[in-house]
Structure formats: C-alpha cells, structure tokens
Amino acid sequence: MATADVHINYVHAQWSSRWVFVLAATGSAVGLGNIWKFPYMVGQGGGGAFVLVYLVCIALVGIPIMMAEVLLGRRARRSPVNTMRVLALDEGAGAGWQFVGWLGMATGFLILSFYSVVAGWTLAYVFRTASGVFATQDPQQIKALFGVFVTDPAKVLIWHTLFMVTTTVIVARGVQAGLEKAVRFMMPVLLILLLALVFYAMGSSGFGQGIEFLFSTDFSRLTPGVILGAMGQAFFSLSLGMGAILIYGSYLPQSASIAGSTFMIIAADTAVALLAGLAIFPIVFANGLEPAAGPPLIFEILPIAFGQMPGGGFWGTLFFVLLVFAAWTSAISLIEPAVAWLTETRGFRRMVSAVLTGGLAWLLGLLTIMSFSHWAFSFRFLGLEKTNGFFDIFDILTTNITLPVGGILIAVFAGWKMQRPHLQDELRLASRAGFEVWLFLTRFVAPVMVGLLLLYLLFGHYFDA
Ligand code: PHE
C-alpha cells in the first residue's frame, strides 16, 4: 500500500544539518558551468542579450523548479527513479513517471563524460600554472599552448582518468567523509579569488569594454539559438532537471526550509557566474582576443592574467586548484542519482555502484577527448557553428534538451499531480501568497516558457523565411 507513512518510514542517509545541504547543493551548482561554460556561452551568444535571458530564466524557471525538486526528493527520500515511482503511486499518477528518473540518470552520465574531460584540463592547468611557464609567454603563445594540449589525446586521457578516479573514490566513501569539510573551506576561498581576479580585471584597459559586452543588451543578437542556450545554461548551472538536486533534497532533514535554502543556493550560483564574466571579458578585450573562442576560452584567457600579475604563479595555481574542487563537488552530484539507485535496488555496496557508474562515464568521456583532435567534426545548430563533434552533441543533447525536458516534467508532476496539502506540507511557506506564487510559476510559467522554447527548437525552421 502506498501511503504517505510508507515512504517516511524509509530510513535513508541524512545531512547533519540544513547548512550542509545548502553547502552541498551549492557545491553541485557552482562548478565548471559557472566559470568555464558561462563565459564562453556569453562570448558566443553575443554578451548582454544572453545574460539577460539567462537571468530571467533563473528567476522564473530556476527558482520554482529547484524548490519542486527538493520537495519531491525530501518527500520520498529515495533515488530519483524510485522517488518518482513512489510519489506517482502515492498521488495516484501512473508509474510511467519514473521515466523522469531514468532520463535524469542518462543525462548525468552524458554530462559527467565531458565534464570530467574539462575538469581534467583544469587539473593539467594547475601544474602548468605552477611551473611558471605563463609568465614567460605572450598572449598568442599562451593561446597556442592550449591548442597543442587538447589535440594530444594521450595527455588529456591521463588527466580525465585522474579526475574520474578521484570522483569515484569520493562518491564511494560517501559525501560526509571529508568532502563536506573541504567544501566548507574551499567555496569561500574560491569566491575571494574570483573577487581578486575581478579587481585585477578592473585595472585592465579592457574593463569598460568588458562591462559593455556583458551588460548592454543588443536585442538583434537574440536568435533562437542564443535564447535556447541561455535557458539550457540556467538548468545546467543550477544542476536542475536531472535529479541531482532531487537526490540532495532526499537527504534533507524534515525541519529545514526549502524556500530559504533554494534562494541561497541560487544567489551563490548566479553571483559566481557573473563574477567569472566580470573577471574574464576585460582581459579578453585588453589583449585583443576573441570573446567567441568557445570551450577553450578560460584556458586561454586566465593564464594571460596570471602570467602578467605579480605573484600570478601562486594565485593562478590556487585558482585552478579551487576550480578542480568546484568540479569535484559538481561531479559527485552527477552520478549520485545512479549510485543511489544501484545501491537501493540492486543491493550493491556504494563502492561497487560508484566504480560501475564512474567507469561508464569514463568510457563515454573518450568520445569527448577525441572530439578535440582526431575525431573533430563540425555542424551547425540553430545558426551556431559547432566544431567539436561528439562533445557538442552531448552538450546540446543535455543542456538544451534533456535537462529542460526533465525540468518541465518535474514542474508538471509537482504542480499538477501532487495534492495541494502535500505540497504545502513539504514547503511550509510562511505566507500563503508565497505558496500561490510558487504554484503558479510551477504550474504555468515554467512549463510553458520552457515548453515553447523547446517546440521552437524542434519546429522553428518552419517559421523561418
Ligand atoms: N551545475 C554544475 C556546474 O555548473 C554542473 C551540473 C549539472 C551538476 C547538472 C549536476 C547536474 O558546473
């Protein structure tokens, strides 16, 4: 019998406090998406127009869906697949809803496969920056160094492997064992370093141009591809639509406030993305470089800044170390849904589940590695030129399609399938109006906005002249 008490009795690991949840979810949200992906997407998407759409999506879609994900997870206290199954039964909806969990797990594998490769580049750059090589080279040489590195699959493979092995070990040991402590310390330091970089960028001759690029909205650049990209980036950056936030919510103590936690996580994530933009674009313009450089952007730009500033070898090394930590805390949330599901339903030990999932993502990652060298091929997607074959396909498939689809389904389930008292019971918002606003956003605004964008993606070419 599926009643509310059945799943509440289910004993499941829990964060030691609400703060640990906020920290872990912020760790999941803040990552390469903010510091690597956001700047290059802004650079390719025409600056301010992209930023504006991104911020609107965060507010109207990101906030309600994050609250919905946490709510679902905490109510069922299971992996995403089983959460959807149990809640669907409980609410009298079809068992087919567990598809949301399956889609999320598949998405997690795909994202982790390329995420780990880029995190591997970051690891390599820890050592490069420490070696002091950037202090002796001019901007064009620094740019060329990255080109030589990514086109050498054997080298990249080593770093990708190192990152995936460490991620697997962390996941296998469980989140509490030390990662919590590390994150508590690392996140504030990363923020301070980012602020220092912004400060440095303010002194560069490109600052005015950088600000202009980030914040002045040229609406003629708002093409369908840019709008869809910005919406997808909102999902990617907030870790929404695949069950990462849901599974973290499933470890949240019953007494914690969902709305308050969500606001903090979203504020931190948005601040880090904007600061990364503020740090990077002035340096791009001051050195006469191309904002639309794509995925290599930060690996070409930041070393220039570190090469020129006093003590740059030290600060640069620290920066890349912290970025690796930010990537770890995101990567673990990408496979936690699959690890939890395997442990829960197959009875595997966490170690076995972690090795199986990490291994599969590692294997898929080989396709991304090859996309930057031997197997590179290009195609056009909604007017944007994509040159890195499988990497771009995985990225578009997840960021632009499966995350938003997952997000819509989560919003529809929470908004339309769950009984109002159950929602109120989990959210326990102090103001009734607040609850109504959330419900309205979850039922109508988020699904319709995201749905229309996706439909445009599929059928938009029929409207084009
Ligand atoms: N939000 C993470 C980042 O910005 C990436 C991520 C996406 C993590 C989806 C979990 C789920 O780097």
Side-chain angles (χ1 to χ4, degrees):
M1 193 180 65
T3 66
D5 349 18
V6 172
H7 45 77
I8 284 163
N9 287 337
Y10 185 81
V11 188
H12 186 90
Q14 249 188 42
W15 305 112
S16 38
S17 76
R18 166 204 181 182
W19 294 108
V20 177
F21 164 74
V22 171
L23 212 63
T26 306
S28 165
V30 174
L32 297 171
N34 307 61
I35 292 169
W36 159 71
K37 202 160 193 254
F38 178 76
Y40 89 71
M41 291 193 80
V42 174
Q44 289 181 323
F50 179 97
V51 177
L52 184 73
V53 180
Y54 174 75
L55 293 176
V56 170
C57 289
I58 296 272
L60 296 182
V61 176
I63 295 176
I65 295 189
M66 187 177 284
M67 287 172 64
E69 265 199 46
V70 180
L71 175 164
L72 297 183
R74 187 170 71 181
R75 190 157 182 84
R77 297 206 179 282
R78 284 172 162 86
S79 69
V81 168
N82 289 326
T83 286
M84 293 311 291
R85 197 173 52 85
V86 166
L87 291 184
L89 274 177
D90 204 24
E91 304 288 342
W97 281 98
Q98 57 179 300
F99 168 74
V100 178
W102 288 104
L103 185 71
M105 280 206 286
T107 303
F109 279 113
L110 285 179
I111 296 180
L112 184 59
S113 76
F114 67 78
Y115 205 84
S116 167
V117 173
V118 178
W121 300 347
T122 313
L123 259 176
Y125 266 59
V126 169
F127 295 94
R128 290 207 156 182
T129 315
S131 75
V133 60
F134 298 129
T136 60
Q137 312 233 314
D138 66 35
Q140 290 305 332
Q141 287 172 315
I142 290 178
K143 196 176 151 192
L145 268 181
F146 184 74
V148 172
F149 170 63
V150 282
T151 46
D152 185 344
K155 276 217 181 96
V156 179
L157 179 65
I158 295 175
W159 298 107
H160 163 59
T161 307
L162 195 61
F163 183 82
M164 196 66 90
V165 168
T166 43
T167 301
T168 306
V169 170
I170 298 170
V171 174
R173 298 189 58 198
V175 183
Q176 269 90 342
L179 198 86
E180 259 179 45
K181 277 190 217 103
V183 178
R184 208 182 291 252
F185 168 72
M186 298 282 168
M187 297 299 251
V189 184
L190 182 68
L191 200 66
I192 292 169
L193 270 193
L194 211 51
L195 280 169
L197 265 180
V198 172
F199 203 69
Y200 169 83
M202 279 169 73
S204 84
S205 59
F207 193 63
Q209 228 181 324
I211 294 280
E212 165 96 18
F213 183 73
L214 263 178
F215 296 115
S216 77
T217 326
D218 171 2
F219 286 101
S220 70
R221 304 207 56 168
L222 273 187
T223 63
V226 169
I227 299 177
L228 194 74
M231 188 253 315
Q233 174 63 13
F235 279 96
F236 186 92
S237 190
L238 294 175
S239 305
L240 291 179
M242 58 141 292
I245 294 293
L246 188 154
I247 190 95
Y248 279 11
S250 79
Y251 306 142
L252 182 65
Q254 202 57 41
S255 60
S257 147
I258 291 180
S261 313
T262 296
F263 283 118
M264 278 184 275
I265 298 160
I266 290 189
D269 189 72
T270 310
V272 172
L274 291 176
L275 285 175
L278 280 175
I280 282 158
F281 289 109
I283 307 172
V284 170
F285 293 114
N287 291 283
L289 293 164
E290 186 42 61
L297 185 69
I298 66 157
F299 296 96
E300 295 173 354
I301 303 305
L302 292 177
I304 296 175
F306 295 130
Q308 292 167 354
M309 69 174 70
F314 174 76
W315 297 114
T317 309
L318 189 59
F319 182 85
F320 282 115
V321 167
L322 293 168
L323 191 52
V324 171
F325 269 86
W328 266 325
T329 55
S330 300
I332 56 176
S333 72
L334 281 163
I335 43 173
E336 181 65 19
V339 171
W341 178 77
L342 280 173
T343 318
E344 217 169 74
T345 50
R346 295 277 169 269
F348 292 160
R349 282 184 303 133
R350 268 190 82 85
M351 184 64 184
V352 177
S353 310
V355 170
L356 286 174
T357 47
L360 182 60
W362 177 84
L363 208 61
L364 275 175
L366 304 184
L367 288 173
T368 288
I369 295 183
M370 298 308 283
S371 302
F372 287 87
S373 52
H374 302 52
W375 298 352
F377 57 87
S378 21
F379 59 95
R380 287 187 76 75
F381 176 74
L382 295 176
L384 300 171
E385 180 72 22
K386 302 286 174 184
T387 52
N388 300 112
F390 288 111
F391 160 74
D392 282 316
I393 292 177
F394 289 174
D395 179 30
I396 290 172
L397 192 65
T398 53
T399 307
N400 289 350
I401 302 174
T402 58
L403 291 179
V405 168
I408 294 183
L409 293 174
I410 286 167
V412 167
F413 184 82
W416 295 95
K417 294 291 168 188
M418 286 187 65
Q419 295 168 45
R420 184 180 271 261
H422 291 169
L423 296 170
Q424 280 163 329
D425 192 37
E426 282 304 325
L427 289 181
R428 266 177 286 118
L429 290 172
S431 100
R432 195 189 153 85
F435 178 79
E436 296 302 334
V437 170
W438 172 79
L439 194 60
F440 179 74
L441 290 173
T442 308
R443 283 189 153 178
F444 300 102
V445 179
V448 170
M449 242 176 88
V450 180
L452 284 179
L453 280 171
L454 286 175
L455 284 177
Y456 193 90
L457 164 76
L458 291 173
F459 304 111
H461 50 280
Y462 293 120
F463 301 108
D464 293 340

